[in-house]
Amino acid sequence: MTAVISPVSGAQIADVPATSVEETDAVIQRAHEAFPAWRAVSPGDRARLLRRFSQVVDDHIEELAQLEVTNSGHTIGNARWEAGNVRDVLAYYAGAPERLFGRQIPVPGGVDMTFHEPIGVVGIIVPWNFPMPIAGWGFAPALAAGCTVVLKPAEVTPLTAIRLGELALQAGIPEGVFTVIPGKGSVVGERFVTHPLVCKVVFTGSTEVGERIMAGCAPQIKRVTLELGGKSANVVFADADLERAAATAPYGVFDNAGQDCCARSRILVERSVFDRFMALLEPAVAGVRVEEPSLDTAEMGPLITAAHRETVASYVDDAQVAFRGSCPDGPGFWFPPTVIVPTSESDRAYREEIFGPVVAVMPFEDEADAIRMANDSDFGLSGSIWSRDIGRALRVSRGVESGNLSVNSHSSVRYWTPFGGFKRSGLGRELGPDAPEAFTETKNVFIATD
Ligand code: NAD
């Protein structure tokens, strides 16, 4: 068994089985056996089952949200949004089984048709930072495409995923079609990679583990989606609405205590307005409410573990702190929102993903310099551009090597638009209308008519 600790109290809240390799193999075998019947379910019936699953999730939003507050320290507002996101993603992809269109391609001497064939068992590996949405972004389109799913939550945050597995059965999703198995990455996760009956691995997590997963999938030419780390830039030009850019910047990086792959953890500000921007940012950071996450007013909760807090703190120990917000004392893995001013673009805190509430602010000279600095990173997941010159905002958006950008806004993730990274932030796209196709192989069939 694995003890589950609440980051809010530091106390143990549950014991969860640590699934063995043999047990993992048995679950994969059952998912493999469930596949032929699931892919044969008519599109309308599969759609109905997914809509029912969405409805059952909706009936349990509050329970799921409370569980996430306790297990992950998410604010209750965020946790309700996250449970609602699973509901919405299921409802959205419930439209997919009836819309998995092939094409008819003109060829001489006959017709050519394409089909999207579901690939089989999909193994989904989820990180601890968004246990519910990231699970849903994988399992909803996979189930819609006709695949069966085995899903491993992160060791430290398994409770909501386990509950979603139960709710799927309650909604009438057949046994073996969607199974949640808690356990270690090095045991259950590795087995998804090596087991020949798992046809695709959907991995969200660190770039280091993503590299291993990709290499591990290679011998079987196994399909893989990688959603990895980030160090995204929030680029603020002098002509921007500086008040709005500064007021929203904390929420673009400190949401979920900065444990967000899309966190805009570098703020790049045009030099001529750097001091003015910092003067506006300071009260905005001081105003972030870091408190007991079950309070409706909470905007930020604790970090996930004591060990992670130490890692985050190590970045601040060697940095020049401009100003900080506040956080509670006492039990729980609290860390205040922190703004640092790196002395060089090679500073560790400027280059590495900290995955905590720490943001580095640096000046840039002009548009070309802004693009250069934004791209001077191994990662390319997200980012924002603030400017009243929309032509420039679009030019910079096209110049930044990143998968998800927002202009004059601090957020860019919606389930009906594609999501994924450039460079070492990942491989492949999730979400958006085409996501179910990524759980199929495209087959073309020529029919002679002559
Ligand atoms: P992690 O890589 O340590 O773990 C992620 C998952 O992989 C966990 O379930 C873990 O048990 C499993 N795992 C670990 N070793 C494994 C192995 N050898 N084989 C198979 N599975 C293994 O990441 P984390 O600390 O849980 O999450 C934080 C990271 O995730 C950050 O880098 C963050 O940027 C990234 N992330 C990316 C996205 C995205 O969409 N791009 C979203 C959320 C988080």
Side-chain angles (χ1 to χ4, degrees):
M1 300 295 266
T2 308
V4 181
I5 308 291
S6 172
V8 188
S9 61
Q12 181 174 341
I13 48 166
D15 251 334
V16 162
T19 312
S20 67
V21 170
E22 295 70 28
E23 289 162 337
T24 306
D25 283 2
V27 169
I28 292 169
Q29 181 64 35
R30 282 202 294 279
H32 174 70
E33 286 163 11
F35 174 58
W38 180 243
R39 74 177 297 184
V41 171
S42 74
D45 284 343
R46 204 171 328 129
R48 224 182 328 276
L49 280 165
L50 292 175
R51 279 197 294 272
R52 210 188 290 159
F53 189 5
S54 167
Q55 182 58 53
V56 172
V57 171
D58 194 38
D59 295 340
H60 293 80
I61 295 282
E62 195 55 28
E63 180 201 331
L64 288 163
Q66 295 292 350
L67 208 49
E68 204 67 281
V69 171
T70 312
N71 189 173
S72 306
H74 292 193
T75 63
I76 184 65
N78 278 10
R80 288 189 184 120
W81 179 90
E82 289 158 20
N85 183 261
V86 177
R87 170 202 58 211
D88 295 344
V89 167
L90 277 165
Y92 179 68
Y93 288 114
E98 295 165 305
R99 292 176 179 79
L100 264 180
F101 304 125
R103 306 175 79 181
Q104 187 265 309
I105 299 170
V107 287
V111 292
D112 195 282
M113 300 161 77
T114 66
F115 297 86
H116 292 297
E117 308 290 9
I119 53 181
V121 179
V122 173
I124 300 177
I125 302 172
V126 180
W128 50 259
N129 65 327
F130 287 113
M132 283 192 277
I134 290 172
W137 300 359
F139 71 67
L143 295 174
C147 293
T148 55
V149 171
V150 292
L151 183 143
K152 191 199 88 63
E155 289 88 329
V156 292
T157 58
L159 300 186
T160 47
I162 291 173
R163 190 71 187 115
L164 286 169
E166 294 165 358
L167 296 179
L169 290 174
Q170 191 178 319
I173 303 287
E175 289 272 354
V177 168
F178 173 47
T179 312
V180 176
I181 26 176
K184 282 180 162 251
S186 56
V187 178
V188 180
E190 286 262 4
R191 198 59 190 133
F192 289 1
V193 173
T194 56
H195 199 298
L197 291 180
V198 175
C199 302
K200 174 168 180 163
V201 173
V202 173
F203 173 79
T204 308
S206 62
T207 299
E208 294 65 34
V209 176
E211 271 181 42
R212 282 187 63 144
I213 304 266
M214 192 173 181
C217 286
Q220 294 177 44
I221 321 291
K222 190 175 286 195
R223 275 87 190 121
V224 63
T225 305
L226 300 173
E227 299 287 4
L228 310 176
K231 188 75 182 178
S232 299
N234 184 359
V235 182
V236 182
F237 285 94
D239 71 346
D241 179 342
L242 290 185
E243 281 74 16
R244 218 171 126 220
T248 58
Y251 302 97
V253 58
F254 301 143
D255 189 49
N256 203 24
Q259 303 165 125
D260 181 344
C261 53
C262 288
R264 277 75 168 158
S265 52
R266 295 183 296 153
I267 305 180
L268 309 179
V269 185
E270 195 159 359
R271 190 180 291 280
S272 60
V273 294
F274 188 85
D275 292 344
R276 168 94 185 114
F277 181 84
M278 289 298 265
L280 291 165
L281 184 62
E282 186 163 3
V285 170
V288 175
R289 295 187 66 120
V290 186
E291 56 190 0
E292 165 65 42
S294 59
L295 295 173
D296 278 331
T297 48
E299 292 181 321
M300 193 181 120
L303 291 170
I304 190 69
T305 58
H308 187 53
R309 180 170 61 178
E310 269 180 40
T311 310
V312 171
S314 76
Y315 284 93
V316 176
D317 289 345
D318 11 287
Q320 188 185 322
V321 174
F323 42 83
R324 309 181 90 162
S326 57
C327 68
D329 296 325
F333 311 128
W334 301 99
F335 199 86
T338 302
V339 178
I340 60 171
V341 185
T343 47
S344 140
E345 287 176 50
S346 57
D347 280 9
R348 189 169 85 94
Y350 179 77
R351 306 207 69 82
E352 295 177 15
E353 183 182 46
I354 300 174
F355 223 54
V358 180
V359 67
V361 194
M362 289 277 272
F364 67 83
E365 305 303 333
D366 55 21
E367 187 177 314
D369 197 35
I371 295 173
R372 177 195 65 76
M373 287 177 71
N375 288 340
D376 181 21
S377 170
D378 289 342
F379 300 110
L381 187 57
S382 188
S384 297
I385 294 110
W386 291 83
S387 172
R388 285 195 170 93
D389 177 344
I390 291 303
R392 168 156 68 191
L394 270 179
R395 276 196 308 276
V396 176
S397 299
R398 297 298 302 272
V400 172
E401 297 155 353
S402 180
N404 314 277
L405 292 165
S406 55
V407 171
N408 296 332
S409 158
H410 67 289
S411 76
S412 53
V413 181
R414 288 168 191 85
Y415 59 79
W416 60 98
T417 60
F419 178 82
F422 282 30
K423 303 193 282 188
R424 285 172 64 79
S425 286
L427 188 72
R429 288 291 175 277
E430 296 187 304
L431 299 179
D434 301 330
E437 285 179 24
F439 294 97
T440 66
E441 299 282 23
T442 301
K443 176 189 288 170
N444 93 298
V445 177
F446 170 72
I447 305 164
T449 52
D450 288 349

